[in-house]
Amino acid sequence: MECIFGLVGDGFALIAADSSAVHSILVHKSNEDKVLVLDSHKLLGVSGEAGDRVQFIEYIQKNVHLYQFRNGIPLNTAAAANFTRGELATALRKNPYFVNILLAGYDKGIGPSLYYIDYIATLHKIDKGAFGYGSYFSLAMMDRYFRSGMSLEEAIDLVDKCIMEIRSRLFVAPPNFVIKIVDQNGAREYAWRESISSD
């Protein structure tokens, strides 16, 4: 019952994801961070099979760091999205990864951006997007309340509305969510929305 969604606002992009690690009818943990800080100005939010998710995002992260180490400059967000899509497309014909990705980044001179990459290597630049069962509700909320140029406070309010809608409408709703943002100051964790403590 994974839920991951993101949007682009005025000078920032954010990704929110549930933090449940679930297999079959068992909840293994409720504090799994599914939004990876890819580099100083990029976030990678991933849903999918746990093993594929961890292996693929770590592979992408290490290769993005290797590119920066070899060339002395980081990949911009569009290049990182295209690299990720290319690796998924290559794997699709060999040993596919069942992962769906939202990649958010901030580039100097360009601003924030959000990319949608699904498990069959489809790539789109978007302003708002979602994956998982929670996407039915979060996309409906974003269709109603999202607008271009939202402030951070307005965007967080919209994220909270999406989380509340998921919790109230989804039969097996994830209890906890993590929210991360990326802007000119870098990628960072913004907040957790918890209804179950992980202690």
Side-chain angles (χ1 to χ4, degrees):
M1 297 295 171
E2 291 188 310
C3 305
I4 178 169
F5 53 94
L7 57 89
V8 176
D10 183 21
F12 69 92
L14 69 77
I15 296 178
D18 77 284
S19 58
S20 298
V22 178
H23 179 71
S24 184
I25 61 171
L26 299 175
V27 176
H28 295 290
K29 60 193 286 196
S30 59
N31 61 351
E32 176 84 10
D33 191 351
K34 297 176 185 174
V35 183
L36 176 79
V37 176
L38 191 59
D39 68 17
S40 65
H41 285 79
K42 289 177 204 61
L43 295 171
L44 197 65
V46 185
S47 70
E49 297 295 329
D52 287 354
R53 185 181 71 235
V54 172
Q55 183 179 3
F56 187 72
I57 64 174
E58 286 182 355
Y59 171 76
I60 295 298
Q61 183 186 43
K62 301 311 177 204
N63 276 280
V64 167
H65 287 170
L66 178 62
Y67 179 89
Q68 184 174 356
F69 179 72
R70 282 184 175 165
N71 298 293
I73 57 169
L75 287 171
N76 66 23
T77 307
N82 279 285
F83 171 73
T84 303
R85 190 214 68 81
E87 292 303 313
L88 268 178
T90 301
L92 188 61
R93 288 148 185 86
K94 296 177 182 176
N95 186 22
Y97 293 101
F98 185 70
V99 293
N100 296 304
I101 299 167
L102 289 176
L103 193 154
Y106 186 92
D107 299 305
K108 189 175 180 180
I110 298 172
S113 53
L114 181 66
Y115 290 87
Y116 167 106
I117 310 165
D118 69 9
Y119 72 101
I120 55 173
T122 303
L123 171 67
H124 292 287
K125 185 176 181 182
I126 57 176
D127 288 330
K128 58 183 173 20
F131 283 114
Y133 285 110
S135 68
Y136 299 116
F137 310 112
S138 56
L139 285 173
M141 295 301 287
M142 287 191 279
D143 282 344
R144 182 167 184 183
Y145 295 109
F146 177 83
R147 61 175 177 74
S148 287
M150 293 180 84
S151 69
L152 181 58
E153 293 75 23
E154 292 171 326
I156 293 299
D157 183 56
L158 177 52
V159 167
D160 287 337
K161 285 179 182 174
C162 291
I163 291 171
M164 290 308 297
E165 192 71 10
I166 290 166
R167 286 179 177 164
S168 63
R169 302 279 303 276
L170 193 58
F171 180 69
V172 184
N176 302 336
F177 287 81
V178 61
I179 304 167
K180 294 189 180 180
I181 66 168
V182 59
D183 58 18
Q184 64 184 358
N185 300 318
R188 61 197 177 277
E189 184 178 294
Y190 181 81
W192 283 79
R193 299 294 189 254
E194 296 179 310
S195 60
I196 293 179
S197 174
S198 59
D199 295 336

